[in-house]
Amino acid sequence: MTASPGFPTARPRRLRRTPALRRLVADVRVRPADLVLPLFVKEGIAEPHPISSMPGVVQHTRDSLRKAAAEAVGAGVGGLILFGVPEVKDARGSGADDADGIVQVALADVLAEVGDDLVVMTDLCLDEYTDHGHCGLLTPSGEVDNDATLGRYAAAAVAQARAGSQVVAPSGMMDGQVAAIRSALDRAGFSTLPVLAYSAKYASAFYGPFREAAECAPQFGDRAGYQQDAGRASAEGVREALLDVAEGADAVMVKPAGPYLDVLHAVAEAVDVPVAAYQVSGEYAMVEAAAAQGWIDRRRVVLEQLTGIRRAGAGMVLTYWATEAAAWLDEL
Ligand code: PBG
């Protein structure tokens, strides 16, 4: 199109000309305080243990976990979420609600280190703790028993609350889990403790590296019987989020982030509570792998993805790059 003089031509490029103009008109910003860092802590190890499919991410010792938490605080990160990897697993996932379980003891360490400088959350599920690797108790025929599992989640929530968790985040996708956890917390005297529900969580191949990190790959079958199916329309994700809000969720999550931005957007439009998105292990691994080959600009790709996730509607973003990205954002 040629701009003819005297004719008011649309020129969207006018506001793109300089960095200062672009910064001024930007609608979406990512701030360090929007980011939440997932951290793995493993029981009984003397040194941090690298996760081969997630370069730069480790299973922490209790000591290195404290340091990682302090670094996150230093970078201005908004929160962290703890995942425990126990030494011993069993069919009922006993470590999940044991007062001496790894997450419960690690919470005390982290809180001693960071206090209230960021929000210390705990993932609440059984898969890291069960010997079969599923997110719930099994029936004799090997199916995940929804209602029997709810009692285990309730017990884990109370154990995490007693250990000082500041937000519990149920990720197991059992129907009714938020209501069960909420009422157990209230009965135990933790009515002020918020629940961040992994509401729209899809059965995703993007969790592959996490299962190495958390040592929780299912020993048989998969999670498609309880996690959502990628082929359903985003309305199903909205339904899950609304159910969780009705059950008392204080905030909801969509997971993974990148392949489910439509769901994220629909959920953000539908609910009036804060919305989180989880940029998961496979999303991290793909960028790291391509960057290591020199095929993409790692920093720009990470920031572009975080911006896209925020633009789709996430208030907070769980990302393994939280500490590093927070430092980059401070420089912008
Ligand atoms: C289940 C849980 C999973 C993740 C977070 N919580 C794995 C799963 O559902 O199989 C995945 C996170 C990631 O891939 O980064 N407790």
Side-chain angles (χ1 to χ4, degrees):
M1 183 177 80
T2 349
S4 42
F7 188 76
T9 308
R11 285 193 181 274
R13 287 182 53 189
R14 284 185 194 114
L15 294 177
R16 296 177 196 147
R17 275 194 52 239
T18 67
L21 273 169
R22 293 193 293 272
R23 190 179 59 190
L24 182 68
V25 301
D27 298 306
V28 178
R29 287 197 169 82
V30 186
R31 297 164 303 178
D34 303 321
L35 304 178
V36 177
L37 176 68
L39 288 168
F40 303 101
V41 55
K42 182 162 176 176
E43 193 169 32
I45 54 171
E47 294 294 326
H49 192 272
I51 299 155
S52 60
S53 53
M54 300 179 76
V57 178
V58 300
Q59 291 176 326
H60 283 287
T61 66
R62 285 175 62 182
D63 202 42
S64 69
L65 180 75
R66 288 177 76 127
K67 291 193 192 108
E71 277 167 29
V73 170
V77 166
L80 50 86
I81 182 162
L82 293 184
F83 293 88
V85 187
E87 250 181 321
V88 182
K89 305 186 185 220
D90 60 20
R92 57 190 295 280
S94 299
D97 61 322
D98 181 348
D100 298 320
I102 180 63
V103 156
Q104 282 70 252
V105 296
L107 261 170
D109 301 336
V110 169
L111 292 170
E113 185 75 36
V114 303
D116 267 340
D117 292 344
L118 47 56
V119 179
V120 180
M121 313 186 188
T122 43
D123 182 84
L124 198 169
C125 198
L126 289 187
D127 60 330
E128 297 95 341
Y129 301 94
T130 52
D131 50 12
H132 46 74
H134 277 287
C135 297
L137 300 179
L138 301 181
T139 64
S141 66
E143 274 195 65
V144 174
D145 187 337
N146 191 92
D147 294 6
T149 300
L150 297 180
R152 298 291 300 129
Y153 287 179
V158 171
Q160 293 179 353
R162 291 199 172 118
S165 177
Q166 297 167 345
V167 173
V168 295
S171 64
M173 289 301 280
M174 295 302 124
D175 293 334
Q177 63 184 15
V178 173
I181 288 166
R182 182 73 270 156
S183 70
L185 288 173
D186 291 352
R187 272 183 277 119
F190 296 102
S191 58
T192 59
L193 181 62
V195 175
L196 163 60
Y198 287 70
S199 298
K201 176 172 177 184
Y202 287 80
S204 174
F206 286 89
Y207 305 151
F210 174 94
R211 292 181 185 169
E212 181 193 346
E215 301 176 16
C216 65
Q219 297 304 299
F220 64 89
D222 56 33
R223 305 208 206 290
Y226 39 106
Q227 298 179 346
Q228 287 174 246
D229 186 78
R232 296 291 320 278
S234 59
E236 192 192 40
V238 171
R239 178 175 186 227
E240 288 276 9
L242 291 173
L243 281 169
D244 283 353
V245 171
E247 289 178 29
D250 301 285
V252 296
M253 196 194 301
V254 174
K255 175 182 176 194
Y260 297 91
L261 292 180
D262 58 326
V263 179
L264 177 57
H265 182 71
V267 167
E269 297 274 293
V271 302
D272 53 8
V273 298
V275 177
Y278 197 143
Q279 184 182 50
V280 302
S281 57
E283 299 179 79
Y284 176 89
M286 289 195 306
V287 172
E288 290 295 332
Q293 297 281 342
W295 292 343
I296 56 170
D297 181 329
R298 179 172 176 273
R299 174 176 161 151
R300 289 187 55 207
V301 166
V302 170
L303 290 176
E304 187 174 336
Q305 289 188 335
L306 292 174
T307 304
I309 294 165
R310 290 269 293 128
R311 193 180 60 243
M316 48 186 142
V317 186
L318 286 73
T319 172
Y320 298 97
W321 287 298
T323 302
E324 198 178 0
W328 297 336
L329 293 164
D330 267 351
E331 290 164 21
L332 291 183

